[in-house]
Amino acid sequence: MKKIIVIFLMTVSCILSCKKWDDHIALDSASLGKTIYEQMSENSDLSSFVSYVDKMNLDTLLNSSRNLTVFAPDNEAFANLPDSVKSNDAAIRRFLLNLIALKSYYIRDQTDTSRILMMSGKRVLFANNQFGDADFASSDNVARNGVFHVLKEVVLPLPNIWEFINATKETYKQNAYVASLNYEGQDISQAEIDSIDLETGEPVYKSGTGIVQINTFKQKVCDVGNEDSLFTYIVLTDAAFGQAEATLKPFFKANSEDTAIFNADWYTSKDMVFSGLYDNINSQQTLVSKFGVHYNLNPSTIVSSYKVSNGIVYVVNTAETSLQEKIPVVYIQGENPIGFSSETESALEDIFYRKRYNPITKDTFNDIYVNRGSSGANFYVDYSTNNLLSTTYKVYWVALNDYVVSGQGDDAYGTTANLNQIVQVLNNDSLSTVLFNETGVVEPYTYTETYIGEFVNDAYNWLLSYPDSMPDGSSYLSNPATKIIRLQAPSSNSSPYNLTLDYLKFVPVFN
Amino acid sequence: MRKLFYIFLGGFIGFPFIGVYAQKSIESPSAVYKSIDTLRVSGIVLNAVTKSPLVGAYISYKDFGAGITDSLGHFSIAVPDDRVSLLIKLDGYADRMEPLKGRRNLEILLQSVNMGDYYNELASPIGQTRRLKTTGASENIDTKGNWTDHSTSVDDYLQGRIAGLNAIRRSGTPGMGANLFIRGFNSLYASNQPIIIVDGVYFDNGTYGTPLNNGYYNNPLSYIDIKDIDNITVIKDATSTYGAKGANGAIIITTSRAHEEATSIDAVLSGGTSFRPKEIPVMDAGDFRSYLAEMLQSKGLSDHEISGLSYMNDSLSNPDYYNVHNNTSWQDRVFDNSYMQNAYLKIAGGDNIAKYALTIGYGNNKSPLNNTGQTRYNMRFNADLNLTKRLFATANVSYYRNEQDVRNMGIAPSTNPIFTSLVKAPFFTDHVISSDGIISPQYADHDTLGISNPLAIMNTERGQNNSFRYNGTISFKYLLGKNLALATTVAITSQKIRETFFVPERGIVSDTLMNDVLAYNRSGAQVIKLFNVFNDSRITYNNSFGSIHDLAVVLGFRYNNLKSEQDYGLGFNSATDQLTSVGYGLNTLRQIGGSIGASNWLESYLNVAYGYKDKYFINLNSSLDASSKFGRDVSINSLRIGGRPFAVFPSLGLSWLASSENLLANADWLSLLKFRLSYGVTGNDDIGNYTARNYYTSQNLLGISGLVKGNLGNESLMWESVSKLNAGLDLSLFNNRLSLKADAYHNKTSHMIIYEPGITISGQDYIITNNGAMKTNGAEIDLNALLVDNKKFKWQLGLNVSKYKSVITKLPAGSILTEFADGTIMSRVGGAPNVFYGYKTNGVYASDGQAASEGLSNLNNNGTTTAFKGGDVRFIDLNGDKIIDENDRQVIGNPNPDFFGGINTSITVSNWTLSALATFMTGNDIYNYSRRQEESELNAYNQTEAVKNRWRVDGQVTSMPKATWGDPMGNSRFSDRWIEDGSYLRLKSVSLSYNVPVKSNKAIKSLNIFLTGTNLLTLTNYLGYDPEFSASSSAIGQGVDTFLEPQYKSIEMGVRIGL
């Protein structure tokens, strides 16, 4: 009897105390308690979608608590699903995963350019109340594990630029060239660490580990397979590509004809990828490549265009770039030497890397000043460059020769006299081969360019598409096309033998 | 020592000031009234129910005359006047004072049920007296041994039983007791707790030093076994006799003594179950994972980063799969039904020379919070000795030992098991699981979301509180003459609390120390010592003049010397979790500290009670208090003796027993009508031992320790002064079957302690001054009715309701804002002393458009503003500037109740008795800090299921705002979203007992079986485990739910055997 009373009281108290919470946690609508899959299963307009989801065993995913967004085409839209997709399980799966995102995206999350990452790995534009190109039949259906939107059309996964290039390499020579630039390389994210470099603190990777196939176009120019960014890619028709190749070939004279052609091809295609999406080309539009080369995209030259998942591809019949931009002026910065004739302590002590003010341009600049004085006869500073193509360059320098007195009683340095400096261009393979050798006079306090002489480069014997280093660890930064530039003090009668250089400038000469 | 001398000197010199007055009042009836005629009054005493005559009832009028009823219930007695009252006593019946009102022949109906307590004896500051004769508002509980009660301490027991006493239990942890607020608040920063007197000895109820285990409270009142208590008197109005300690009323406790010479042995054995609280509905693993993913998305994590989290990876090849794909009910891991066992033995007896009462108790009360609970051992020995005809002595010795396993409660995010169990992600596991799904016995470490493993807190953390309290009292009373006596009481109290804790590394989130060092494991030990020496010496004079004048005078002094000491050590980063004591911690990180306190209190007091014809009563109390805490230069309300200020506290009480007037002789329905009026001044000396002095504190600067000025000593610092005015009415009708006590009062605190902001040049953040003032008005009613009064069936029902309103009347520097639990509590002039101050809200914006049309913006920390959008909370823009900032705060809640009280009932059907006590509180607001953590939607804490309704879609109408990491719009700020109505009605205890009929000649004298349920039913709309808690003992901090251990239900069954 007593127990019954107690149990009764306990039950009453439980009922009463539970109720306050029941009111508080009651769901505003029943759908908030149902998963996306459960809600879709109850929706007769989505039976086709659900049947495909079932077929691909994606129901577990759509029931899971991953907080998803699903863009589900309704039954009417499914009528337009191409047979090629319907008949291929892999394609269906790809198609479905391209409609599911692992985050929740509501209509209010749209911006004009929002591209959301789908489970297919691709990003799809979710903007202006559209998903891709499809309109919504209904949107913002909130579920326990996310949200789903119903589409009026099917949205098929698009290829990206890289996939496009590979798919059309038979069609376009340019794509064939780009697709062929495959080398073995070392992926440091997969390589084993051998040791830590004591000086730099950087890891040293074991050679022969983490070897992958790399495409140097993707590596050196632009990773056009990246789905996270948008690119505009221009493909030249074969005729236009051939013409561009012919124009550039003279700048790549080489011992081998193939080397010359491939380098011309590289120089053509490297400036054909542009960051950003440029669609709706109605009038001429100027695009700038990663290397600063402008491309005037003229709608009349566009043969065809393709929408891809990470941008747009145009096929054009005329290459619209200026040769002057393609063949750049080469600068050698004085403050970036690669070596000296003597690296004794006393010599290095006399080398100043300075920051000076140019009263003409009103800019500060960095330069080098070698204050060797009377002991500097024949002292030289070496620079290198890979950028001198096979053409004629006019050589200039800017070199500041000044006399600096310290206010604190330290030794003054510099000179008020003229300096005589020699500029040489040497072949990387044999330093004894002097390709250029001119002497110039540096008058005090000159901030302007001084013409030194004309240099003719007659060969470029290296493939630009080569990777910078090989899996065995050898580096190609220094190669047969590399030129050594030497700034040297005279051997006699010119004391003080000081050297100074802001930069050397090699200006190509076009006929 | 010199100081002591002066104080003593002051005390003695102080006497003449009062003495002059005292002598006057003693000698005033210079012509002693001699009664010339004696009257004879006769009558009959009957049982009120059966109307059968009662034999052997003792009828007396003082020592003037006495009689005993014969077999027909008749008696006859001589009295000096026909306007006096007779006292009728009979075992098994309630005492009765019957006014003659001119009658010569009486019919007296005695009740076997004690109704209204008007005729009871109660312990007053001047000794035992009949409640009828008091002039103030005092209440009395005859505890009758509390055999069936499950309260773990007196303060808990008192809840709901006394009108005007708001006892708020601190938490459900056994022994935590309750904060006792008699008639609202009298102070902001000083104590609001009443003075406790146990068997005439000042019982130091203070806590000295903060407990190491967060949320624990060293409750001295738990050191009195509730079954040891015979009688409790609560004095609610002017208690000037306790002078500087009487501001918050007084509770006088009398422990059990032998009442008769025959040996009686009572044994009680009981055992029961405590029930785990009802779980708070937090989200399950699935709902939480969706919510968390949304949170991480709003934090800005990319798809790859989210997918890279192991709990988002549903592949079985994920090596962590089994560790992060569970649906753990963490509250399950923390709470469990538990048990309790209690045993008690009382032996009393003696002869005409010596009487004794010996009690021994044992209790083991496990809490539903796993691995925690209290074990206690206690004994008490009270002896009364008649040494000579003139010399009497009593000796009381008590010892109480408490051993308690506790965990950090309150705001302790990494170690509070309740907090972690509520916010921890349910997909984690309590034990490590291998990649093959095999469960290891190893506890899982704290998770990647930064929440400790509650099971590790419960099972591997240690928190202990071992304490004892010893009290030894000896008193002597010497009769100098028939009416004059000298008495003295000397007592020492020694209390020691030893606390230890160890927080292991495994499973628990590390702390960061002040010097940015991570504390992996933590240990601590603390000892708090308390030593009190108390003396109360007095001269008492009692006399009746002419049989119609009663005079009682007590002149005495009390002295208390307190020494307290706290020493603690904290250790960090011991080598392994097996090395758990402070000494194993790293030397460089160890912290040690402590405090020492001492204070002296000396009081001389005078109480004069005068009664005329048992109808008119005057009570005069006054005291003269000196305390080491007072500043030396106090000049207000004080006398200067020996260069020290002595506080003067006078009080006066009047009462008129109107029902004893002859005018009402024929009003048979009126048993009693009494009017009471009292006014007095009391003080509160809880102003800090050294606040008035200049002192220095140590400070560490760049590794070098030095002393810096700790305060600006204020030698004018004085006690808080509380004046109390009380008007009361006692009414009893229909032969005491219906009784009413009503009181209204006005308390005024002046010289209230305030922390004033210090001026910059002083180098002090604040200066403590007496510049505040507060007042409290209130009223209380106590109704008691004997609804059914049959021979076999009796039903008694009682109700008490109280109301108070405290208002601050003076503050020196604007309103006081106090931050507590991320909320703001405000006190300002004209308002209640501790209201919640925050933002008001009006739902959630359903859409961006709606938000834009209202055009409100949030003021960010860097001064910029951000417009509210859909899914944000609609805050009320109080000043209309379209920007929600701190100027838009307003009063959003008041933790003070509108009404509180208790309902008690007792139904007796033959040998069965069902008694119940329900307590209630209405209109009090609670700041639900706990729910704020569970519904703030700003971090990775698990949330209640209500968060499933969170705003997600434009146009969604909901009351739950959107989930955003870090809550940049402040949707979870301190607002009325977290303020709830804390009204509740609770069936606090219900017990059913059965008196097994035993034959008196058998070995067993009595046998009683009982079943007691505690907290069985609580009606409330409060969204938490329980609406009752008290996070701090001060006015500020009431009504804030900070994850303390909730009150739990329990059922206990026991048997009491009398031998």
Side-chain angles (χ1 to χ4, degrees), chain B residues 576-593:
Chain B
T576 80
D577 284 351
Q578 278 70 47
L579 303 173
T580 61
S581 74
V582 175
Y584 289 117
L586 282 184
N587 291 345
T588 47
L589 299 178
R590 194 172 303 132
Q591 298 172 9
I592 52 170

Side-chain angles (χ1 to χ4, degrees), chain B residues 881-903:
Chain B
D881 63 357
K882 297 281 177 193
I883 292 171
I884 299 298
D885 57 13
E886 59 178 27
N887 297 324
D888 295 308
R889 290 183 295 175
Q890 50 185 308
V891 174
I892 53 175
N894 186 346
N896 295 296
D898 290 342
F899 297 99
F900 63 90
I903 303 164

